[in-house]
Amino acid sequence: MMNNIVPEFLGSYNNYANWSACMKSYLLANDLWDIVESTAEPPIPEENEAEFRCWRKRNAAALHAMQISCFSEILSQIKDISSAKLCWDALAKMNELKVPGDQVQPQEPQVPAIKVETHPQPQAVNQGVEGLAQVQLRPLLEAIEKGDLDAVKNFIHLYPDSVHKKIADFGRTALHVATLTGNTNIVEALVEFMSKDDLKIVDNNKETALVFAAVLGSTRIAEIMVKKNDELISLTIPAKDLLPVTVACSHGHKETARYLYSLTPFELLLPKNGAYGSLLLHVTISRQMFDISLDLLERCPSLATTVNHLGINPLHEFSGLIDLFPSGSRFVFWKKWIYSRIHVQLPAAALSDVRISIPQNKHKQQGKNIIVQGIDKLRSLFTNPLNLFGLKQIYDRKVAHAYALKILRHMSVHVSTIDDNELGVKGVYQAFFTAIRRGVIEVVVEMIKANSTLLTVVDRNLRGILMLAVAHRQEKVFSLVYVLDTYKYMLISGIDKDKNNLLHIAANLAPSRRLDRISGAALQMQRELQWYKEVESIVSPLSKEYLNILEQRPTEIFSQSHIQLVADGEKWMKETATSCSVVGALIITIMFTAAFTVPGGNNQESGFPVFLHEKSFIIFIISDAISLFASSTSVLMFLGVLTSRYAEEDFLKSLPTKLIIGLSTLFVSIAAMMVAFCATLIIMLRGQLNLIMPLILLASIPVTFFVLQQFPLLVEIFVSTYGPGIFNRKLKY
């Protein structure tokens, strides 16, 4: 590859004759040779300032031409020479030497001694054409990396063609490098010297500078490039099968993504032009840029079932994102209450060519006055408490759910238009089965409403909707059995390829990811029994005796698959009962002793307690008795747990009931013991409120710790045993 000055660079090998001839021709053509032939002394500025400026400019141009036409090992030896004539003479003198290591002593004292090796250096000889360009344009690269705007402008003024040269590793141009540095001023200066075609230059990875701007999320740099090129289609050339807007979305830059999407020709996103729109839909959903997702689906619903470059069907991926739907939320009770009372109004669909609203760029907001900036800071102070208590998180989750449901409705409308023979090819079956396995009831219901034939489809194991719901323990999907009409009987009596009926499926152990959501092996075993009993109640009585391909009955499968879980449940129950019974026994000992060691002692004359008629003493006696009786009951219940037979059926009601009574009475005994202690303090420290109040507060700490650690478990056991159950028999379809 030839450069603009000489066909080959001057190196430490024998090419000086060719180089000097070409360089002289270049200097003559540009009217610079007289600078090299004349004296090295410049004109005196005081005598003729205009002549001095002209000489300085022409000297710099000639000197620069020689410098950028040398390899680095030669350039390092002449870089300190400021005169074009001295530089030319020094290079000529250097190439007269024949013995390595000789020193050059130029006639002018201004030129430093230079050490030259005449032996060829393979590294310099073997540099490719790309390496030559990088050496020549290295000053431009260094100026961009340093952020020296003036140096960049001076260089491209002298060498305008440098803006489309590849100056860095991986074949990157000056615009690529400037974009990576994020320096908008340098980018703007480079773009001024570039043509529309220059903006489309790609590096070795087939990426344009606009793609780099999308990676960084620099909306301002993208605007500069777009302003230069009014033909938007040329700026959206796919790089490695990715559009710039897709790159911005994948890196989570919402503002840049919205801007690039508003400029991307929608025709490019249509399925007939490739899978770019499908991939963009997939990325925007995964990055929760739902406004773009909705716009894509409103304009082209078929993108939902178009397989993209990654082999991904957006409908299939979307159907398994449980966290995007209300059924996947696991808020505590007070957050659920707040969530249910939040009203979300999504923006109306845009109808203009812009398609979506573009937020005001940050660089345009820098002109805000001090008052506006102060108001913004005050507003942020009020929003911090919302972040602290998680209210903003709840609101954001509600907004995400609203968007997801709207996207789902658009996809369902498209599913309803697909011919039944093409449902499998379009990936609808796969998406439907994925939603069942993940328990996304919203997707399951909407897809059934869109096409009721999905109720009868089966997977490769010949398992339909109910079998898959039972196998993966998705109670919300299974609850559809209570609202289905005639389909229900066909689904209940289904048989898979191994001749397993619905009860056989329920007898198998649940997937570990579903069991891990439940606290303790005992409660996990209880949940498994609840599933088995529920399925047993809806199937035919003959199903319990039906043999599968391995000649196993459902009861046999249940016992074999749950042996380890029963053992783990027994261990968990015994450990819990043992630790709690020790606490209960200690409370019995303490409260029994306290009942006969009354505070203040007894009256010597009457024999009754001194504070018998004090309210504090009455509270002490009552709380002491309650604590004693409650702890005794607790210990007895835990002893019952320890001596249980631990049969499979015991985990359904018997063992959980004993554990509920034991934990409840233990909690009552601890609370009553603290009340008795506080009543004793009031009696003994009468009138000393400065001591009584802190001690009472300290006494409440053990009760608080017990509530925080054990009360959630107690509530979970109670709800699991006596609550409404995990199956929704009043489901509205």
Side-chain angles (χ1 to χ4, degrees):
M1 170 180 155
M2 297 178 62
N3 55 61
N4 295 333
I5 300 176
V6 291
E8 59 181 343
F9 287 77
L10 178 62
S12 56
Y13 49 96
N14 243 349
N15 69 332
Y16 175 77
N18 295 335
W19 178 88
S20 60
C22 295
M23 179 57 66
K24 182 177 181 179
S25 299
Y26 175 86
L27 296 176
L28 285 170
N30 290 273
D31 197 23
L32 298 174
W33 179 246
D34 58 329
I35 294 295
V36 177
E37 284 187 321
S38 64
T39 177
E41 295 295 332
I44 301 175
E46 290 78 6
E47 296 180 357
N48 193 334
E49 184 176 355
E51 183 180 356
F52 171 78
R53 290 183 177 179
C54 181
W55 178 90
R56 183 175 61 181
K57 181 177 180 180
R58 298 176 65 213
N59 177 76
L63 183 63
H64 181 69
M66 288 184 279
Q67 289 175 341
I68 64 173
S69 300
C70 299
F71 276 122
S72 57
E73 66 271 18
I74 302 298
L75 178 62
S76 63
Q77 301 179 67
I78 63 171
K79 60 184 178 63
D80 296 324
I81 303 176
S82 59
S83 169
K85 176 176 175 54
L86 295 179
C87 182
W88 181 269
D89 294 340
L91 291 173
K93 193 69 174 176
M94 288 163 52
N95 285 274
E96 292 176 0
L97 301 177
K98 301 300 180 183
V99 182
D102 288 349
Q103 298 290 326
V104 177
Q105 302 294 340
Q107 297 177 358
E108 293 79 6
Q110 292 89 345
V111 182
I114 302 174
K115 181 179 180 180
V116 181
E117 293 181 2
T118 58
H119 293 298
Q121 294 185 9
Q123 184 177 359
V125 174
N126 295 331
Q127 289 193 30
V129 291
E130 185 175 348
L132 298 180
Q134 290 184 15
V135 171
Q136 178 187 3
L137 301 173
R138 183 169 295 154
L140 177 59
L141 174 62
E142 294 176 351
I144 294 174
E145 292 176 342
K146 293 177 181 178
D148 191 342
L149 179 61
D150 294 334
V152 173
K153 288 183 176 180
N154 292 335
F155 192 94
I156 58 179
H157 271 289
L158 288 173
Y159 306 101
D161 290 342
S162 61
V163 293
H164 57 255
K165 301 294 184 181
K166 297 187 176 183
I167 67 172
D169 295 336
F170 307 107
R172 292 169 180 168
T173 64
L175 187 59
H176 283 93
V177 178
T179 303
L180 285 175
T181 62
N183 194 316
T184 56
N185 294 327
I186 293 181
V187 170
E188 197 165 10
L190 291 171
V191 169
E192 289 180 1
F193 285 84
M194 300 178 72
S195 65
K196 295 179 180 180
D197 291 335
D198 291 338
L199 294 176
K200 297 186 291 183
I201 297 176
V202 297
D203 62 3
N204 296 346
N205 292 326
K206 306 299 181 183
E207 295 174 341
T208 63
L210 184 61
V211 173
F212 283 23
V215 171
L216 297 177
S218 179
T219 308
R220 175 56 184 154
I221 291 179
E223 288 177 345
I224 294 171
M225 298 178 187
V226 171
K227 184 178 179 181
K228 177 71 175 181
N229 195 334
D230 54 356
E231 297 178 3
L232 302 179
I233 187 67
S234 64
L235 284 180
T236 54
I237 295 177
K240 298 196 310 188
D241 295 331
L242 294 177
L243 295 174
V245 60
T246 307
V247 174
C249 289
S250 63
H251 286 81
H253 303 305
K254 294 185 178 181
E255 179 185 347
T256 306
R258 292 189 180 104
Y259 175 73
L260 292 174
Y261 178 69
S262 67
L263 300 175
T264 303
F266 197 80
E267 292 76 13
L268 189 62
L269 303 175
L270 296 177
K272 64 180 181 180
N273 293 322
Y276 305 115
S278 174
L279 183 59
L280 179 59
L281 177 61
H282 163 68
V283 174
T284 54
I285 290 175
S286 62
R287 283 292 185 173
Q288 298 192 12
M289 299 182 189
F290 298 124
D291 49 352
I292 300 179
S293 306
L294 277 176
D295 190 80
L296 285 168
L297 288 172
E298 288 171 357
R299 291 173 173 267
C300 185
S302 61
L303 291 175
T305 54
T306 302
V307 179
N308 54 46
H309 306 88
L310 303 179
I312 296 174
N313 183 315
L315 175 61
H316 177 216
E317 290 296 312
F318 180 72
S319 63
L321 299 177
I322 181 65
D323 293 335
L324 291 184
F325 296 94
S327 60
S329 299
R330 300 187 66 187
F331 289 128
V332 294
F333 70 94
W334 64 272
K335 287 187 176 181
K336 287 182 181 178
W337 183 84
I338 296 174
Y339 177 90
S340 63
R341 281 154 179 79
I342 294 178
H343 177 70
V344 173
Q345 183 67 38
L346 297 181
L351 300 178
S352 63
D353 292 337
V354 177
R355 301 199 293 269
I356 56 175
S357 59
I358 307 301
Q360 188 177 13
N361 295 327
K362 295 179 180 179
H363 72 278
K364 295 181 180 179
Q365 298 179 355
Q366 293 176 353
K368 289 183 177 181
N369 56 40
I370 299 177
I371 296 177
V372 175
Q373 293 178 1
I375 293 175
D376 291 341
K377 291 182 179 180
L378 289 175
R379 187 182 293 113
S380 65
L381 292 177
F382 286 103
T383 59
N384 286 336
L386 298 180
N387 295 330
L388 179 63
F389 294 106
L391 300 181
K392 187 178 183 302
Q393 179 187 8
I394 299 174
Y395 175 79
D396 292 341
R397 183 70 65 85
K398 185 91 173 187
V399 172
H401 291 167
Y403 268 115
L405 292 174
K406 194 170 182 178
I407 291 172
L408 175 60
R409 284 191 288 271
H410 282 287
M411 289 184 172
S412 299
V413 171
H414 172 61
V415 170
S416 65
T417 63
I418 301 176
D419 187 80
D420 290 349
N421 297 326
E422 296 182 356
L423 290 175
V425 178
K426 294 290 186 178
V428 177
Y429 290 163
Q430 189 179 14
F432 184 64
F433 293 142
T434 298
I436 295 172
R437 296 186 185 98
R438 299 299 304 275
V440 190
I441 183 63
E442 293 87 353
V443 175
V444 175
V445 170
E446 288 295 327
M447 293 185 72
I448 292 175
K449 288 180 179 179
N451 194 326
S452 59
T453 59
L454 291 174
L455 282 171
T456 60
V457 299
V458 293
D459 65 359
R460 58 186 178 182
N461 294 321
L462 302 182
R463 295 183 178 182
I465 178 174
L466 285 188
M467 280 194 173
L468 288 174
V470 173
H472 294 272
R473 299 300 192 265
Q474 300 296 347
E475 58 274 2
K476 294 177 182 178
V477 179
F478 180 79
S479 297
L480 287 173
V481 73
Y482 304 115
V483 296
L484 297 176
D485 297 327
T486 55
Y487 284 107
K488 173 174 62 176
Y489 303 103
M490 180 176 60
L491 296 174
I492 290 175
S493 58
I495 302 294
D496 69 1
K497 71 173 186 178
D498 294 326
K499 295 185 179 182
N500 292 307
N501 61 24
L502 199 62
L503 198 58
H504 283 98
I505 304 299
N508 285 295
L509 186 66
S512 58
R513 60 182 177 84
R514 296 297 297 175
L515 289 177
D516 292 341
R517 297 162 62 95
I518 305 170
S519 302
L523 294 183
Q524 293 175 0
M525 185 63 195
Q526 182 190 46
R527 179 61 54 86
E528 288 291 272
L529 285 167
Q530 290 172 347
W531 265 101
Y532 187 82
K533 295 295 183 183
E534 188 68 22
V535 174
E536 188 180 38
S537 66
I538 65 173
V539 299
S540 170
L542 297 178
S543 298
K544 293 185 289 186
E545 301 299 326
Y546 189 86
L547 298 176
N548 62 6
I549 197 172
L550 299 177
E551 297 185 354
Q552 294 176 314
R553 292 182 175 84
T555 52
E556 297 172 357
I557 295 176
F558 187 89
S559 298
Q560 292 176 6
S561 61
H562 291 80
I563 291 176
Q564 186 60 43
L565 188 60
V566 170
D568 294 340
E570 178 180 356
K571 180 181 177 182
W572 183 84
M573 291 288 284
K574 287 184 175 180
E575 289 178 351
T576 303
T578 300
S579 59
C580 291
S581 60
V582 171
V583 176
L586 290 174
I587 295 175
I588 292 174
T589 304
I590 294 171
M591 302 316 293
F592 185 84
T593 305
F596 297 97
T597 310
V598 296
N602 296 326
N603 193 314
Q604 294 181 354
E605 295 180 358
S606 62
F608 293 103
V610 174
F611 301 105
L612 179 62
H613 301 290
E614 294 284 341
K615 293 182 179 180
S616 300
F617 184 79
I618 301 301
I619 294 174
F620 164 76
I621 290 298
I622 294 175
S623 58
D624 185 277
I626 292 175
S627 179
L628 180 62
F629 298 148
S631 58
S632 300
T633 304
S634 176
V635 170
L636 291 175
M637 286 296 103
F638 289 129
L639 287 176
V641 171
L642 292 172
T643 58
S644 177
R645 60 175 184 165
Y646 288 99
E648 293 175 356
E649 296 290 337
D650 292 342
F651 286 94
L652 187 61
K653 286 284 186 180
S654 177
L655 288 173
T657 300
K658 293 177 181 178
L659 195 60
I660 290 172
I661 297 175
L663 289 174
S664 301
T665 52
L666 182 61
F667 171 74
V668 171
S669 66
I670 293 175
M673 180 179 67
M674 292 297 103
V675 172
F677 175 74
C678 294
T680 304
L681 290 178
I682 294 173
I683 294 172
M684 302 301 296
L685 302 173
R686 180 176 299 181
Q688 301 293 325
L689 293 178
N690 57 339
L691 292 177
I692 294 175
M693 296 305 297
L695 293 175
I696 291 177
L697 292 175
L698 289 175
S700 64
I701 293 178
V703 180
T704 304
F705 276 149
F706 184 84
V707 170
L708 293 176
Q709 294 180 1
Q710 300 298 331
F711 193 71
L713 176 61
L714 176 61
V715 172
E716 184 177 359
I717 298 173
F718 182 83
V719 172
S720 178
T721 307
Y722 297 103
I726 60 176
F727 304 101
N728 186 6
R729 294 177 175 83
K730 298 180 180 180
L731 180 68
K732 295 181 180 180
Y733 173 51

